[in-house]
Amino acid sequence: MTDRPDCRILGPLEVLVEGCPIRLGGQRPQVLLATLVLDGGHPVSTERLAEAVWGAELPTSLRAQLSIHVSTLRKAFGTAVIDTVPGGYRLRRDAVRVDAYEAESLVEQARAAAAAGRTGEAVDLLAAAQRRWRGPVLAGLDSSLVAAAATRFEELWLTIVEERARLELDRGGHVPLIGELTAAVGAHPYRERLRGQLMVALARSGRAADALEVYREGRRVLVDELGVEPGPELRQLEQRILLGDEDMDVGERDSHVLAGAPAGQDPPSRPVPTELPNALVTFTGRTAEVAALSASLPAADGRPIVVSGPGGVGKSALAIAVAQRVADQFPEGQLYANLHGTTPHTTPPSGHDVLAQFLRSLGVPAADVPVDAETAVARFRELTADRRLLVVLDDAADATQVRRLLPAGNSSTALVTSRRRLDALDTAEHHQLDVLAAAEAEELLARIAGPHRLDAEAGAAADLVRLCGRLPLAVAIAGARLAARPSLSVQALVERLAVERRRLGELRVDDHDVRASFAVSYADLDRPEVARMFRLLGVLDGSTVSVEVAAALADVPVALAEDLLGELVAAQLATRTGERYGLHDLLRLFARELAEVEDGRRGCAAALRRAMHCYVATAHTAAMVVAPCYRWRLELVPVELVHPGVALSSVPEVNAWIEAERENLLLAAEQAAVGDEPAVAVSLAVALDMPLENRGRWREQLVVSEIVRRAAERTQDPHHLGLAHNDVGWALSALDRVADAIPPFEHALEMWRAVGHLTGEALTLHGHGVACRALGRHDDALASLQRAETLAEQLGDRGRQAMCQSAIGLTYQRLGQYDDAIAAHEKSVAMAREASSWRTELIALGNMAEAFRLAGELRTAVRTFREVLERGRSADYAGTYWEAEHLWGLGMALHDLGIGGRECWLAAADILADLGLIGAEERVVIGREPIPATPDVIASQL
C-alpha cells in the first residue's frame, strides 16, 4: 500500500511522495497549498485563497486561475488530497501527513505524560516535536496572509523549547541546555521565560557570573529597544542568583547526577576528549547551512547527520566549523577522524584503527584496546551509551565505513561528511551541500586574496567567481594565486581562466587541485558505462539535459540512460532537478577532457551528432504540431537524421518542451553553427522559429535567427540565407526594432527572387509590410502586404492570405480608416476559418476588437475581446504574447467605458514580464500608474 504523502511546512515548503521530493510549480500553487494546510483541514473560501495567493491584485479570471493551481497540486501529489467544497477548497487531513499537525499531537502527548509524572517520556516527546522544524515556517513563500497564519507555529516552537527546558531543569539536565537556550535567547531576545531558563541553567552549572550577564544584557535590550524594565520573575531570579539562594540548586549536585554517581559521592573521573581540528580561518558564508546543522546536531537523539556534496564544495570546512560552534552542547567530549575516503594517494584507515583511536581517547589504556574488531565495536558502544558526545567522521567513502563508528545511545551524535549521500544509513538526516551563493563566493575570495585586491576590480572579481563556478575549492585556489602574486591582477587571472582548455590547469596551487579532486570521484565509478555517460555529458554545451538527450549522447535506451544518470547523481558527479540532469561547469570541462582522451575525436563527434539530431528531430515535430503550414521551411533544410527525437503530439507538450529546453536549444544551435555540420544548425534553428513564435518568445527568436544567419553564411545556400534574413527581420520587427528589420527583409527578398521561391517571397513581403507600417510608411506597407496576399492567393495559401488581410486591416487602423480596417479583419477571420488556422483567426479577431474600440464601438470591442480570450485559453494560448495583447485591449475598452481595466493591464504586464518583453521597471510603472501607457511591444504590433 502506498504511504500518504508528507507535507512539511515547518521550514521551507516541501512535499514528499514515497520519500521523494516532488515539484509543486511556482510560488502561487505553493502559497495555495500552504494556506490549505494552515487551516488544518477546514474549508477555505475562494476569496481567502485568492487573497493569500495574489494579495490585493486579484486576476480577472480568479476562479479559473485557482482551479489551474489546484490541478497543478493534485497532479503533483498523484492522489486525492484536495477536495472541492462549496465556495472553496479543503485539504483532506486523512490523505496527507503534515509535520505541523504531528508536532501539535506530540506536544499534547507530552503534556499528558508530564501531568502523569512521566517526565522522561514527556521530554522525549517534546524533543521529537522540536525535530519536526527545519527552519522558519514556510520560509521563502511571499504571502502576508500565509506569514500571519504561520506565526502560531513559530509560537508553538518557542513553547516546545520552553516546556522541554523546564522539564530538563526539573530533572537536573541543565548543562546540555546551555547551548540551545543561548541560541534561542539570541533569536528571541524579548522572551523573558527563555532568558530566565538560561540564567537558571548557567547558575546551576556554577556559572553565576554568566547568568547575571545574561540578565544585564536582557535588561539593556528591553530598556533600550522597548522602554520597559524586566518583569518581576526575571528580577527576582537575578536577586536569588546574587544571594546564592539554595532554591537555585547552585553547586556540584547536578554534575554528580550527570556523571551517574550516587548523590553525595564524587563522580568517576572520565576523560573528556576535545579532538576537533581548528576551523579554517577563511571559512565564510554558509549562513543557512550553519544554522540548520547547529540546530540539528544537539537535537539529533542518536541519529547521524550526513553532509554530502561533490568534491571541492566545502563539506569538511562546514562540518568542522559547525562542530566547533556546538561543541559546548556535547560536554562529555568531541571525537574526530578523517576517514580519507577520497584523499588521493592515501590509504583509508581501517575501521579497527579508528575505533582504537576513539577507545584510547575515551580512557581505555592502549594495552586494553580489544584486538578483535567486533569486541572493539562492542566496547565503543558500551562507553558511549550514557555519554553526550559529538563524533565527527570526515570524508567517508561509504556507509559500511561509517556504521561501526557510530556512538550508541540517544545522547550522542555523529556528524559525517561524504561525497555520497550514504542512503544506506537508515536513520540518518541528510544535508546536501551545493556551491556557494555569488556573494558568499566573492567574500571567500576577498578573505583569501585580501579585500583591497578586489575593491579596485569588483567586476573582474565577479567574473572570476563565475568562472570558478562558485565552487569553494576553485575560489580558494584562485584567491591563493592572487595572494601569492601581488603583481597578478584579478582581470589577468580572469583572462587566463576564460580559456576553457586551460581553466582546470589554472585551478591548481600546491596540493590543492580541482582536477585531482574530480578525478577521485571519477575513478570511484563502479561501471565503465557510467563513466562513459559522464564523459559524453561533457561533450554537449548546456546547463542540463533530459534523459532522452542523454540517451542519444550515449546511444543507449532511455531506461538505461536514466539508471546511469542516477548513479552519477549518487556519486555527486551530476545533479538532478526534476526530470533533468546537469554537470557543474568545471565538471563539464573535466568530463570533456576525459572524453577527448578516452573516446577520441570521432567518438565525441558521433555523440554530439546524435544529441543534435535528437534536438533537430524534436524541433521538427514541434514545428509541425504548432504550424503545419510551414512544412516548406523544413523541406528547404533537409537533414538525414540519425535519431527520431522526442515524441510530441499537442501544443501543451510543445510548449512544455520549449520552456524546459529553451536555454539548451539556443546553446545547441550555437554549438552546431560553429561545428562540422552548419546545415544542422540551420535546420534546428529554422524548426525552432515557429514554436518560439507561438509563445511570443521573440528575444529567443532573434538569438536563433542570428545563429541561422551565421550558419547560412557558412553553407552559402540561398535558401538558407533567405530563411535566415527573413527570420532576423521578423524577430527585430516584433521587438520594435523595425528600422533594423528593413535591411534583412530586403536581403531575404533578393535571395527568394534569385531562386524563384514564391512562398518565401510572400512570407518576407508580409514581414516587410508589417515593418513599414510600424515606421509610418503606410503606402509601402500596403504595397508589400497586397503583393504578399496576391502571391499567397496564387499559391493557394489561404492561411497566409488571412494573415496579410489582418495586417492590411492594422494599416488602415493606423490611417484612421476604421470601417476599412474592420472589413479587412472580418475577411481575415473568414479566410482563417476556411484554412482551419485557429491561431490566425484569434489574432485577427483580436485586431478586429481593437478596431471596434478605436471606432468607438466599445461594447462590441469588449464582447469581441472576451470572446477571443475565452476561445484562446481553451486553445492553449494562455501565457503567450497574444493573450497579453488582448488583455491589454480589453482593459483599454473597459476603461473607455468607464468601468475599470486595471486588472487586465496588470495581468497582461505579468505575461509580458515572464516572456522578457518588458523589464522589471516597466512592470512596476504599469502597476503604479492609474492609467498606464501601452507598452511599446504592444503598440508596435497594432
Side-chain angles (χ1 to χ4, degrees):
M1 179 177 176
T2 305
D3 289 341
R4 290 180 296 165
D6 282 303
C7 183
R8 301 176 178 179
I9 68 168
L10 303 180
L13 180 62
E14 181 180 54
V15 173
L16 305 180
V17 174
E18 296 184 356
C20 297
I22 62 172
R23 297 183 66 183
L24 299 171
Q27 274 270 322
R28 287 171 178 167
Q30 292 185 48
V31 169
L32 191 153
L33 175 61
T35 306
L36 292 172
V37 172
L38 288 169
D39 271 60
H42 300 294
V44 186
S45 69
T46 299
E47 290 72 19
R48 187 161 180 273
L49 288 171
E51 182 184 354
V53 174
W54 286 283
E57 307 292 343
L58 299 180
T60 53
S61 54
L62 186 153
R63 284 174 172 76
Q65 293 292 324
L66 276 179
S67 177
I68 290 170
H69 294 323
V70 170
S71 297
T72 297
L73 292 170
R74 285 170 172 164
K75 183 177 180 181
F77 276 97
T79 186
V81 297
I82 299 175
D83 287 336
T84 301
V85 297
Y89 296 94
R90 177 181 60 200
L91 183 80
R92 290 184 53 193
R93 288 192 64 152
D94 61 336
V96 63
R97 282 195 298 267
V98 178
D99 54 359
Y101 304 164
E102 293 176 344
E104 288 178 318
S105 174
L106 288 166
V107 170
E108 291 303 315
Q109 295 174 50
R111 286 172 177 161
R118 302 192 304 274
T119 302
E121 181 184 342
V123 168
D124 290 344
L125 288 166
L126 289 171
Q130 194 173 348
R131 285 197 301 273
R132 296 299 193 275
W133 270 261
R134 297 170 291 114
V137 177
L138 294 167
L141 284 193
D142 184 15
S143 169
S144 57
L145 203 64
V146 166
T151 55
R152 74 182 178 96
F153 288 111
E154 298 293 358
E155 183 65 27
L156 178 64
W157 182 84
L158 287 167
T159 300
I160 292 170
V161 173
E162 291 171 346
E163 286 298 306
R164 191 166 68 84
R166 180 183 65 80
L167 294 172
E168 289 282 21
L169 289 171
D170 286 349
R171 67 176 188 173
H174 43 266
V175 174
L177 283 174
I178 291 173
E180 181 180 353
L181 288 174
T182 299
V185 170
H188 303 275
Y190 308 133
R191 195 89 173 185
E192 293 192 33
R193 188 183 185 197
L194 278 176
R195 192 174 292 276
Q197 290 174 329
L198 175 57
M199 291 167 63
V200 171
L202 288 166
R204 288 184 180 177
S205 302
R207 297 169 60 181
D210 290 338
L212 292 171
E213 178 56 34
V214 169
Y215 173 81
R216 286 190 286 270
E217 175 60 25
R219 184 179 182 278
R220 280 195 294 273
V221 168
L222 291 170
V223 171
D224 293 348
E225 298 184 19
L226 302 181
V228 298
E229 290 285 344
E233 294 84 0
L234 216 57
R235 295 198 301 273
Q236 290 171 14
L237 187 56
E238 178 207 22
Q239 292 301 313
R240 291 164 65 188
I241 294 173
L242 285 168
L243 296 172
D245 192 329
E246 291 186 0
D247 286 343
M248 290 297 302
D249 293 329
V250 178
E252 296 185 354
R253 182 183 65 82
D254 292 305
S255 62
H256 286 233
V257 174
L258 277 174
Q265 296 183 17
D266 291 334
S269 176
R270 298 204 294 194
V272 179
T274 54
E275 297 180 351
L276 296 177
N278 292 328
L280 292 176
V281 295
T282 56
F283 179 78
T284 187
R286 300 296 191 193
T287 305
E289 293 90 343
V290 167
L293 288 169
S294 297
S296 294
L297 282 167
D301 287 351
R303 292 175 300 122
I305 308 293
V306 178
V307 178
S308 58
V313 83
K315 301 179 294 295
S316 298
L318 172 66
I320 292 168
V322 171
Q324 289 283 8
R325 179 173 177 170
V326 302
D328 63 345
Q329 298 186 57
F330 295 91
E332 295 188 85
Q334 306 91 43
L335 299 170
Y336 174 84
N338 189 334
L339 302 182
H340 293 292
T342 59
T343 306
H345 316 301
T346 301
T347 302
S350 69
H352 184 270
D353 288 344
V354 177
L355 277 173
Q357 170 200 322
F358 285 173
L359 290 173
R360 292 192 295 270
S361 299
L362 294 172
V364 176
D368 294 341
V369 171
V371 176
D372 175 65
E374 295 298 330
T375 307
V377 170
R379 182 68 173 132
F380 177 63
R381 296 185 63 80
E382 177 189 350
L383 288 175
T384 57
D386 64 344
R387 299 197 196 204
R388 187 159 177 80
L389 290 164
L390 174 62
V391 179
V392 179
L393 303 172
D394 197 10
D395 192 18
D398 51 37
T400 302
Q401 194 182 24
V402 168
R403 198 170 278 113
R404 293 186 169 194
L405 303 176
L406 299 177
N410 293 328
S411 298
S412 296
T413 301
L415 176 59
V416 185
T417 73
S418 176
R419 293 197 184 185
R420 294 182 174 272
R421 270 184 51 88
L422 307 187
D423 289 322
L425 294 178
D426 298 333
T427 61
E429 177 181 315
H430 296 277
H431 293 257
Q432 176 72 28
L433 200 57
D434 201 352
V435 296
L436 291 167
E440 292 180 335
E442 290 187 40
E443 184 182 350
L444 174 60
L445 183 67
R447 184 166 292 190
I448 297 172
H452 62 284
R453 299 289 297 281
L454 274 58
D455 289 344
E457 297 184 84
D463 289 339
L464 184 57
V465 163
R466 176 180 54 79
L467 289 169
C468 290
R470 308 200 313 273
L471 187 73
L473 174 61
V475 174
I477 290 172
R481 291 196 60 183
L482 291 171
R485 293 182 57 189
S487 62
L488 179 64
S489 70
V490 180
Q491 182 59 39
L493 185 54
V494 166
E495 290 170 1
R496 296 176 72 90
L497 292 181
V499 181
E500 286 192 348
R501 287 190 171 275
R502 290 172 45 179
R503 192 175 306 166
L504 292 178
E506 295 286 343
L507 292 173
R508 179 176 59 197
V509 61
D510 297 330
D511 60 341
H512 297 293
D513 185 344
V514 170
R515 183 188 281 114
S517 176
F518 293 162
V520 173
S521 294
Y522 176 71
D524 196 38
L525 294 175
D526 296 329
R527 297 194 287 159
E529 53 267 43
V530 179
R532 178 173 176 268
M533 174 63 84
F534 172 70
R535 296 193 305 269
L536 294 181
L537 287 175
V539 171
L540 188 65
D541 290 343
S543 56
T544 60
V545 296
S546 64
V547 178
E548 292 83 359
V549 173
L553 270 171
D555 198 20
V556 297
V558 170
L560 176 57
E562 192 163 15
D563 290 343
L564 301 179
L565 291 166
E567 291 191 42
L568 289 176
V569 171
Q572 301 287 356
L573 285 172
T575 58
R576 179 177 179 175
T577 305
E579 299 303 316
R580 303 187 65 78
Y581 297 82
L583 299 184
H584 182 274
D585 289 347
L586 296 178
L587 271 172
R588 179 174 288 102
L589 295 181
F590 176 65
R592 188 169 294 180
E593 285 184 354
L594 291 172
E596 289 173 354
V597 173
E598 299 190 35
D599 300 284
R601 177 178 172 79
R602 292 180 63 182
C604 292
L608 183 61
R609 188 167 188 257
R610 289 190 298 269
M612 288 296 177
H613 285 213
C614 178
Y615 280 134
V616 172
T618 310
H620 281 206
T621 301
M624 289 301 94
V625 169
V626 300
C629 60
Y630 280 95
R631 181 178 297 277
W632 64 269
R633 286 167 54 91
L634 304 182
E635 292 171 351
L636 292 181
V637 195
V639 175
E640 188 176 339
L641 297 172
V642 300
H643 194 280
V646 180
L648 304 172
S649 58
S650 67
V651 173
E653 287 181 0
V654 170
N655 291 341
W657 180 74
I658 285 290
E659 294 303 313
E661 291 280 15
R662 190 171 69 248
E663 180 182 347
N664 297 301
L665 289 166
L666 298 180
L667 289 169
E670 184 69 48
Q671 191 172 7
V674 299
D676 296 334
E677 294 184 275
V680 169
V682 177
S683 186
L684 173 59
V686 165
L688 287 175
D689 184 78
M690 282 315 300
L692 290 171
E693 166 75 11
N694 190 58
R695 296 292 293 165
R697 289 209 168 271
W698 296 324
R699 295 190 183 281
E700 289 87 346
Q701 261 191 295
L702 180 58
V703 173
V704 166
S705 61
E706 291 286 6
I707 292 171
V708 175
R709 184 157 64 177
R710 290 199 300 275
E713 286 169 355
R714 291 183 62 197
T715 68
Q716 283 299 301
D717 185 312
H719 296 95
H720 297 178
L721 290 165
L723 287 168
H725 290 298
N726 172 82
D727 292 356
V728 169
W730 273 103
L732 288 171
S733 182
L735 292 169
D736 197 24
R737 293 170 56 185
V738 285
D740 296 330
I742 297 297
F745 280 136
E746 290 175 345
H747 288 313
L749 286 172
E750 290 178 17
M751 294 298 105
W752 296 131
R753 288 166 180 167
V755 295
H757 200 285
L758 297 182
T759 304
E761 184 179 352
L763 173 63
T764 301
L765 280 168
H766 180 185
H768 183 266
V770 169
C772 288
R773 181 187 72 232
L775 289 170
R777 293 164 46 185
H778 299 128
D779 290 343
D780 291 339
L782 288 172
S784 289
L785 291 169
Q786 288 165 353
R787 172 61 180 158
E789 187 188 358
T790 299
L791 287 176
E793 185 177 14
Q794 291 175 13
L795 294 163
D797 187 349
R798 297 293 274 176
R800 175 64 54 196
Q801 277 188 272
M803 287 185 276
C804 290
Q805 267 299 321
S806 197
I808 289 169
L810 290 173
T811 308
Y812 286 138
Q813 284 171 218
R814 291 284 182 105
L815 292 168
Q817 299 172 212
Y818 302 129
D819 289 343
D820 292 336
I822 292 169
H825 294 317
E826 287 176 338
K827 189 174 181 181
S828 175
V829 170
M831 289 177 173
R833 286 176 180 165
E834 183 182 338
S836 300
S837 178
W838 66 265
R839 181 170 167 273
T840 301
E841 180 184 348
L842 290 176
I843 293 171
L845 275 171
N847 291 339
M848 184 163 62
E850 179 66 6
F852 282 131
R853 185 185 76 81
L854 294 172
E857 299 182 38
L858 300 178
R859 296 194 181 279
T860 304
V862 168
R863 185 173 61 252
T864 308
F865 273 126
R866 283 178 169 160
E867 177 190 349
V868 173
L869 287 163
E870 183 179 352
R871 289 179 56 192
R873 287 166 183 158
S874 66
D876 300 309
Y877 98 152
T880 65
Y881 162 81
W882 289 275
E883 184 186 25
E885 181 185 294
H886 299 151
L887 280 167
W888 194 275
L890 176 60
M892 294 297 294
L894 291 170
H895 172 266
D896 293 346
L897 279 168
I899 54 175
R902 182 172 179 75
E903 291 181 353
C904 295
W905 295 329
L906 294 176
D910 284 340
I911 294 171
L912 295 176
D914 182 60
L915 293 171
L917 298 177
I918 63 171
E921 282 188 24
E922 188 171 359
R923 172 64 184 85
V924 170
V925 170
I926 291 170
R928 186 173 61 230
E929 296 293 327
I931 307 175
T934 300
D936 290 342
V937 70
I938 291 179
S940 66
Q941 301 296 312
L942 297 174

